[in-house]
Amino acid sequence: MKPPNVLAMRQSTCRFAWLLIALCLFAFPSLSYAASGPLDLTASFAGIASVVIFVLAYALVMSEELIHMRKSKPVLVAAGLIWALVAWVYVQAGMPQEAEAAFKETLLEYTELLLFLLVAMTYINAMEERRIFDALRAWLVRKGFSYRSLFWITGCLAFGISAIANNMTTAMLMCAVVLKVAEGDKKFISLCCVNVVVASNAGGAFSPFGDITTLMVWQAGQVPFGGFFALLVPAIVNFIVPSVIMNFFIVNRQPAALTENVWLKRGSRRIIALFLVTVAISVLCHSVLYLPPAMGMMFGLGLLQFFGYYLRRSLPRSLERKRERYSRRGDWKKLEQLGSVVPFDIFSRIARSEWDTLLFFYGVVMCVGGLGFMGYLSLLSETLYGSWNPVWANVVLGLISAVVDNIPVMFAVLSMAPDMSQGNWLLITLTAGVGGSLLSMGSAAGVALMGQARGIYTFAGHLRWAPAILLGYAASIMAHLWINAALF
């Protein structure tokens, strides 16, 4: 029999190890909903080695800003090593088909997400190329709003736009507006950036298309499409509470007037309409035909390709008509701009997608899928959701998303697939989405703005407003528990 102090040390070490595994599993997404494999590998050499590989890969990803290595590289290698260990164990046990089937199931889930995101990114890039976002920025700049008005306008626009576009794109658009209008006023720019990050994350929490977290909950079938709109009021509360507090710290003066004219490129409004049609088709595919939403998105990509073909073929005629029109008017500035017009190329829009992010998702999906097949996710689910009240578990996971990313937290929960009410699934959607606002590194929007407004919007500058953001986080949870009590 082991001495009591040795047993206590071993038990303490085991607890620490499981805590580390839990945090690491929450640190990356997984779309794998497969159950654990027939072999429990959590205490085997292959299982422990896989956890160590995953932790090392996670450390390299967290060090991206220091070592300047893209985050997709370590997780791609880790995914290959983990599944190689899984396959090796199952080959030795005479069950190679089990590992192969699990890998294919995980890969299928990732493929659905890849196709969905690829189309969404392509549409956003197409709208950017047609200068839709530039036109919005120029309109706000020309109006000459006061600092306080600009603070609320950019926040409200970030909240609204992020419901249909991703929070990172929305935040970068609003940050560009603030940088343009309030150039030189670092304090106001930093305050606006904090507000934009909070608003972008909150706006994406109540829409199935607002964030990858809500998208995955919808694709997993845990909440119907219309069910997410129950989070509208809690999301507004999450945005309004810290914004009202920050509003009192704004020196309300008028920025210098700026003039910037932006002309939309041909077909811009029709591309917006095609994007809305694509979203509607995707919703119908999932809710009526019970097909993956990715099918509807790929159909929409085909529509965009046909429209791109039309734009290219009709470009010479369009340019000729515009030359005649501008010549009659004597508008030499617009005539000069016609010389720089290039044909619309859909594949160049696809190439501009965030491939490092998409490959990063592949790596972490396969890593967590492999660890789940070994039995770690089942064990973690039993420990967390079996011992805790789901409400408290979801609230704590939202706080964890401030340290890691909100997307990984949600995907890890989906991988564990705990038995929860719709109210609790909406709660984890809310907390994982808005919890990332507590720190600048807790969401893609915050990380993007630290690069865009480098030296102005910083980790410390965001941390200064963490108490106000935490108050909004608590208020939004209470609003959800009160308004949507019937869903629990």
Side-chain angles (χ1 to χ4, degrees), residues 34-42 44 46-47 50 81-103 369-376 378:
S36 300
L39 300 179
D40 183 3
L41 305 181
T42 54
S44 68
S50 296
L81 293 175
I82 289 173
W83 277 101
L85 288 171
V86 171
W88 176 72
V89 171
Y90 274 82
V91 167
Q92 297 298 314
M95 296 184 294
Q97 295 83 4
E98 296 284 345
E100 180 186 11
F103 181 87
L371 293 174
F373 190 64
M374 289 179 172
Y376 286 111
S378 294

Side-chain angles (χ1 to χ4, degrees), residues 321-361:
R321 288 195 301 268
K322 288 181 179 179
R323 285 192 186 96
E324 293 178 1
R325 187 187 315 139
Y326 298 154
S327 296
R328 288 195 302 267
R329 295 177 183 174
D331 196 336
W332 309 116
K333 186 174 182 180
K334 286 190 176 182
L335 276 172
E336 183 182 353
Q337 289 179 339
L338 289 179
S340 61
V341 173
V342 295
F344 179 79
D345 184 4
I346 182 64
F347 289 103
S348 69
R349 300 302 98 199
I350 295 175
R352 286 174 58 87
S353 299
E354 287 290 332
W355 285 102
D356 181 57
T357 300
L358 295 174
L359 292 175
F360 169 74
F361 282 156

Side-chain angles (χ1 to χ4, degrees), residues 199-214:
S200 299
N201 290 334
F206 73 91
S207 167
F209 293 94
D211 195 83
I212 298 178
T213 57
T214 55

Side-chain angles (χ1 to χ4, degrees), residues 54-300:
F54 187 56
V55 171
L56 292 176
Y58 174 74
L60 289 174
V61 170
M62 293 295 291
S63 305
E64 181 183 9
E65 291 296 322
L66 297 176
I67 62 179
H68 302 289
M69 181 174 67
R70 291 187 179 274
K71 59 183 176 292
S72 61
K73 295 178 181 179
V75 292
L76 287 174
V77 173
L81 293 175
I82 289 173
W83 277 101
L85 288 171
V86 171
W88 176 72
V89 171
Y90 274 82
V91 167
Q92 297 298 314
M95 296 184 294
Q97 295 83 4
E98 296 284 345
E100 180 186 11
F103 181 87
K104 288 182 177 179
E105 183 176 353
T106 307
L107 183 62
L108 176 62
E109 298 292 345
Y110 166 74
T111 303
E112 291 182 8
L113 176 66
L114 169 66
L115 296 177
F116 193 103
L117 291 179
L118 190 60
V119 177
M121 289 179 178
T122 301
Y123 264 103
I124 294 297
N125 289 333
M127 288 188 280
E128 181 183 8
E129 190 271 341
R130 295 286 99 178
R131 308 195 72 186
I132 292 170
F133 297 137
D134 288 339
L136 174 61
R137 176 175 57 85
W139 179 81
L140 290 172
V141 169
R142 287 197 308 271
K143 289 297 181 179
F145 292 107
S146 68
Y147 274 14
R148 188 161 289 166
S149 298
L150 184 65
F151 174 85
W152 283 104
I153 288 172
T154 54
C156 291
L157 284 175
F159 183 89
I161 296 174
S162 63
I164 57 174
N166 66 79
N167 58 353
M168 183 175 69
T169 301
T170 303
M172 293 181 71
L173 169 64
M174 293 299 107
C175 181
V177 174
V178 175
L179 289 172
K180 186 73 174 180
V181 178
E183 185 176 1
D185 194 333
K186 295 184 178 180
K187 182 178 179 181
F188 176 72
I189 293 174
S190 176
L191 190 65
C192 267
C193 286
V194 175
N195 188 49
V196 164
V197 169
V198 174
S200 299
N201 290 334
F206 73 91
S207 167
F209 293 94
D211 195 83
I212 298 178
T213 57
T214 55
L215 170 64
M216 286 315 305
V217 174
W218 175 48
Q219 283 192 328
Q222 301 295 352
V223 177
F225 184 86
F228 290 96
F229 299 108
L231 292 176
L232 175 59
V233 173
I236 293 175
V237 170
N238 181 268
F239 160 54
I240 291 295
V241 170
S243 294
V244 169
I245 295 173
M246 289 187 284
N247 175 75
F248 293 107
F249 293 86
I250 299 173
V251 178
N252 194 28
R253 62 187 182 89
Q254 200 80 14
L258 296 171
T259 302
E260 183 182 12
N261 293 316
V262 175
W263 291 278
L264 292 174
K265 292 185 180 180
R266 192 169 64 102
S268 57
R269 295 178 179 85
R270 283 170 285 182
I271 288 179
I272 296 176
L274 281 176
F275 179 64
L276 296 177
V277 169
T278 299
V279 170
I281 293 173
S282 181
V283 172
L284 292 174
C285 279
H286 189 67
S287 58
V288 178
L289 301 179
Y290 299 96
L291 292 173
M295 196 278 283
M297 294 297 285
M298 292 301 291
F299 179 81

Side-chain angles (χ1 to χ4, degrees), residues 30 32-33 213 216-217 220 222 410-417 425:
S30 171
S32 170
Y33 307 115
T213 57
M216 286 315 305
V217 174
Q222 301 295 352
M410 175 58 72
F411 288 171
V413 173
L414 286 172
S415 301
M416 292 183 283
W425 276 110

